[in-house]
Structure formats: C-alpha cells, structure tokens
C-alpha cells in the first residue's frame, strides 16, 4: 500500500468514535517497543524524537516526565497544531497555529505521515505521543504509559546523578501506584472521554457517574496530602494531573462532566493541582491552555461551529 493512500476513515474523528451502543471504547496502542541497553533500541543521546500535542493529555504526560528527568538535551520534541481535522494532527506547515512546529525530520504535513512511513499498511488511529527512532526511521512507541516509564529509567546512564535519582515508579510503591492507575485510568483519564464521546444517554450516564464517584474517592485520598502515593511525586500524580488541569476549562462543559467543577467542588484535589502547577515548572511549562481549549473545541462532532469559550477565568487559580 502507498503511504499516500486515503486514511480519513482513521483520521477524521467527525466520522464518529462511538460504538453501536453509543459508548466510547478506546482502541489500544499499536507500537509498544521499549528502549533498553542490549535491545533493538539503545538509549543514545539525540537518537529519539518525541512528537506531541499540548492539547492532548496523553502526550502531555510524556512532556512532564521528560522535563522532570532532565531529558531536554537528549530527546528533542516537535509540537503539532491543536486543530485536529480531517487528516488528523497537523504540523505547522499544514496549520500554522501559534506554538505549532514543522516536522524537522521529514517535513511531514500530518502525524499520519509518520505512521505511514513506519508502516504503509497501518490501520490504527494516528495518535500522539509518538516516540520516533531517527536511526531506524520508525516508531518505537505510541503509548504514553510506556513512554513515561521509558523516560523514567532508560536514559539514567546519560543523566547527572540528581536527575538519574528521580524515580517516578519506585519499587516500594509500585503495587499501590498500579492499583491507583487502574481505576483512575478507567473512570477519570478515560472516563471523561467515555462521557464526552457517548452518543446515547445511558452510555453517558454509565461514564459520568463513576467519574464523579472516583473524583470523590480522590478527594479523600488527597486530603492533607501533596501526592497520591508515598508522600512523594510519582507517575500516578503525573497521570492524574493532565486530566484534572483540563477539567474546568474543557471537560466540565465540552464533555458534559458538569456535576461539579474542580475549583468549587473538590478543595483537596484543587490544592494538589495548584501546588504541582505553581511549584514545579515541569507541570506549568508543559501546559498551554490556548492549545488545550482550541484542541477540544475544534472537534466538529461535538462543536460543529468550533466556537472556543473565553472562560473559565482564570484558567487555573493561583495558590
């Protein structure tokens, strides 16, 4: 098959993401390879490139961990435009949105071009993040949960001691982290999407009610605490943060997750969120509210006129 074939049935989300019963079921990621010494993908400075969207919570996970671990000089990044359209995520040469960039490796117009370069017969979704290997000219991994763990350990041998010592998935807390990740992913990270992309009332309610039950549970977990697990920053905080930072600006209205806002309904979660954002540049510098709001409200299947709300004001409340 040609890498120029028509794949709009995979890139154009306006054609629908829901199942026949009206529910949204996320498709699994396809590229799940790892970077490790002695493997097919060795940890090397400058070998890998990370493609992201600041709009996308899954991609922003990887940006946060890249910053926390001090990998900026080891793994370069390119950000796409948040205006996801018929052909998927566009680079700046296809849509010059402020902050979007041109693909420095191939001059691609869309993220899909990278997928089809790696596999001309690819039939999955053309998602971000994409961790690209410049040496083998292929995608290493497109699953954010894998990439943040790759970033956590794979490049420690190339990092100064203080950055190598940062461990977001410490052995002593892995069981608890995995348990929290499981229900937070299902009901919160992905729960907002299951509510927002539902096309039947019962499917929507079956997603939005567990979402708020889990937020209630998180409120109790975070009361009097700065972190979810073990009194230290872990990947569980990173994975939750990217959803909560988008909640009031986007999910409350756009995805109809409107029982309560974070700022007015969940004081402990709200304080945890603001401490991470205002006290750690890894969280604030990777958060672009213009990309976040434009990216979601550009979804014609949910917002046919693509009107982007001006609120809430402020995007995030100060400490």
């Amino acid at each position: 098959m040609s890498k120029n074939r028509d794949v709009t049935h995979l890139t154009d989300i306006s054609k629908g993401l829901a199942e026949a019963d009206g529910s949204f079921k996320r498709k699994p990621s396809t590229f799940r390879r790892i970077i490790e010494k002695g493997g097919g993908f060795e940890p090397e400075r400058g070998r890998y490139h990370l493609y992201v969207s600041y709009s996308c919570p899954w991609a922003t996970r990887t940006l946060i961990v890249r910053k926390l671990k001090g990998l900026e000089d080891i793994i370069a990044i390119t950000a796409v435009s948040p205006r996801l359209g018929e052909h998927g995520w566009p680079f700046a040469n296809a849509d010059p949105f402020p902050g979007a960039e041109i693909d420095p490796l191939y001059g691609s117009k869309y993220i899909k071009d990278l997928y089809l370069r790696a596999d001309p017969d690819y039939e999955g979704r053309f998602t971000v993040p994409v961790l690209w290997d410049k040496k083998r000219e292929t995608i290493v991994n497109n699953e954010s949960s894998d990439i943040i763990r790759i970033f956590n350990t794979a490049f420690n041998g190339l990092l100064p001691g203080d950055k190598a010592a940062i461990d977001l998935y410490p052995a002593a807390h892995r069981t608890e982290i995995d348990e929290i990740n499981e229900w937070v992913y299902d009901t919160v990270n992905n729960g907002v999407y299951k509510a927002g992309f539902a096309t039947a009332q019962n499917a929507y309610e079956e997603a939005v009610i567990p979402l708020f039950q889990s937020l209630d549970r998180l409120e109790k977990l975070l009361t009097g605490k700065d972190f979810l697990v073990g009194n230290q920053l872990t990947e569980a905080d990173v994975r939750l943060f990217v959803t909560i930072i988008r909640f009031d600006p986007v999910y409350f209205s756009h995805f109809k997750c409107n029982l309560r806002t974070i700022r007015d309904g969940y004081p402990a979660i709200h304080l945890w969120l603001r401490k991470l954002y205002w006290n750690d540049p890894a969280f604030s510098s990777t958060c672009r509210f213009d990309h976040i709001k434009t990216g979601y409200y550009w979804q014609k299947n949910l917002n046919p006129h693509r009107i982007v709300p001006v609120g809430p004001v402020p995007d995030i409340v100060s400490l």
Side-chain angles (χ1 to χ4, degrees):
M1 291 186 180
S2 168
K3 64 185 180 71
N4 296 317
R5 78 186 201 276
D6 181 10
V7 290
T8 53
H9 64 293
L10 299 170
T11 58
D12 188 357
I13 67 169
S14 70
K15 294 183 176 179
L17 295 172
E19 303 293 325
D21 64 357
S23 65
F24 169 71
K25 295 181 175 62
R26 187 175 298 278
K27 303 298 187 292
S29 300
T30 303
F31 295 90
R32 303 293 298 269
R33 297 173 290 204
I34 62 172
I35 296 171
E36 61 182 352
K37 289 182 179 180
F41 300 92
E42 293 270 356
E44 298 174 18
R45 184 182 300 272
R47 174 172 172 174
Y48 302 99
H49 197 89
L50 181 66
Y51 292 94
V52 298
S53 165
Y54 287 105
S55 173
C56 172
W58 318 104
T60 309
R61 291 177 174 183
T62 66
L63 287 173
I64 292 169
V65 175
R66 173 179 173 268
K67 179 79 171 175
L68 287 169
K69 290 290 295 186
L71 292 168
E72 296 97 320
D73 295 332
I74 294 174
I75 301 168
I77 64 168
T78 298
V80 297
S81 165
R83 294 191 289 215
L84 185 68
E86 178 186 5
H87 299 289
W89 295 108
F91 288 99
N93 51 332
D95 182 28
F97 189 87
E101 298 168 304
I102 292 174
D103 174 16
L105 302 184
Y106 305 106
S108 310
K109 292 184 70 176
Y110 299 95
I111 282 289
K112 67 171 184 173
D113 300 335
L114 295 168
Y115 278 84
L116 297 178
R117 181 179 289 272
D119 179 4
D121 297 323
Y122 181 74
E123 281 289 324
R125 290 284 177 184
F126 299 95
T127 57
V128 286
V130 170
L131 184 59
W132 184 267
D133 180 8
K134 294 189 285 185
K135 181 179 287 187
R136 293 178 58 177
E137 294 194 285
T138 193
I139 297 171
V140 180
N141 204 297
N142 68 336
E143 170 51 56
S144 64
S145 61
D146 291 348
I147 295 173
I148 63 174
R149 290 190 181 175
I150 290 169
F151 287 179
N152 187 48
T153 58
F155 298 93
N156 282 349
L158 304 176
L159 292 172
D162 61 330
K163 292 297 186 181
I166 294 172
D167 187 0
L168 300 171
Y169 190 51
H173 298 295
R174 286 181 183 176
T175 298
E176 188 176 359
I177 291 170
D178 288 345
E179 288 174 351
I180 289 176
N181 285 347
E182 183 176 8
W183 61 266
V184 166
Y185 168 78
D186 181 48
T187 59
V188 181
N189 300 140
N190 199 42
V192 292
Y193 284 89
K194 289 192 286 186
F197 288 143
T199 57
Q201 184 70 31
N202 65 319
Y204 160 72
E205 292 184 12
E206 286 171 3
V208 79
I209 291 171
L211 163 63
F212 280 91
Q213 290 172 338
S214 287
L215 289 174
D216 293 344
R217 184 177 178 184
L218 286 163
E219 178 71 11
K220 293 177 182 177
L221 272 177
L222 285 169
T223 298
K225 295 175 61 180
D226 289 336
F227 307 107
L228 281 168
V229 179
N231 199 32
Q232 67 182 98
L233 181 67
T234 68
E235 69 168 45
D237 296 291
V238 174
R239 289 168 56 121
L240 178 61
F241 175 89
V242 296
T243 298
I244 300 301
I245 197 68
R246 287 162 173 77
F247 199 93
D248 289 2
V250 172
Y251 302 143
F252 178 84
S253 56
H254 186 59
F255 279 176
K256 306 179 185 69
C257 300
N258 60 356
L259 291 181
R260 288 176 292 280
T261 60
I262 299 299
R263 64 188 66 192
D264 294 322
Y266 293 99
I269 298 175
H270 193 213
L271 181 59
W272 163 87
L273 172 76
R274 289 180 293 145
K275 283 182 175 179
L276 289 176
Y277 182 90
W278 292 111
N279 293 337
D280 194 329
F283 292 88
S284 55
S285 68
T286 56
C287 181
R288 294 197 55 156
F289 287 103
D290 57 339
H291 281 236
I292 289 170
K293 289 172 65 174
T294 300
Y296 282 95
Y297 286 102
W298 211 252
Q299 297 166 348
K300 289 189 73 174
N301 55 324
L302 299 182
N303 190 30
H305 298 294
R306 289 176 165 168
I307 295 170
V308 180
V310 297
V313 178
D315 293 314
I316 180 169
V317 177
S318 60
L319 273 173

